[in-house]
Amino acid sequence: MAAPAIAQDTLPPAPYAYKQLEDPAKEKAAQDLMMTLRCLTCQSQSIADSDAPMAGDMRHQVRQRIEAGEDPEAIRAWLIERYGDWVSYEPQVTAMTWPLFAAPIVLLLMAALLLRKRFGRARATGDKS
């Protein structure tokens, strides 16, 4: 039953997995985009840094689409649609993610109010003596 899973790793790498584009401007655009995309296998590296087969396939897709003239942001959107928001190191604010962006601000405001209240009370008791 595990044969299909093992077979995936025995395939040769995609052509653009380890081969740079001939046009330096296009390769730079591809590298810049690959540095902002997370490897789905390693989870702690960008696809530019990872040697995982999945990262190689993603590098191939990025380079192939850049070579075809596609906009890097369109490629990012396609990868996010395909793999989910987690694939990008630059998350977008959406209806599902806005609480993640708002929570730190709310927590800082609550901490500031609590500290103000505490030190205001301490100052008031210190002034009475």
Side-chain angles (χ1 to χ4, degrees), residues 52-82:
M54 179 70 154
D57 289 342
M58 291 173 74
R59 283 192 303 271
H60 169 75
Q61 289 292 328
V62 167
R63 285 184 173 126
Q64 185 178 36
R65 287 170 175 259
I66 292 279
E67 182 69 27
E70 197 169 332
D71 181 55
E73 287 308 311
I75 299 168
R76 177 192 311 285
W78 176 75
L79 286 167
I80 289 172
E81 181 182 320
R82 186 172 184 176

Side-chain angles (χ1 to χ4, degrees), residues 5-26:
I6 294 169
Q8 292 295 324
D9 285 343
T10 61
L11 293 175
Y16 282 124
Y18 299 99
K19 179 182 163 197
Q20 294 186 351
L21 298 173
E22 291 180 18
D23 182 354
K26 287 183 178 182

Side-chain angles (χ1 to χ4, degrees), residues 119-129:
F119 288 120
R121 196 177 320 142
R123 196 177 316 136
T125 57
D127 290 342
K128 289 182 184 176
S129 358

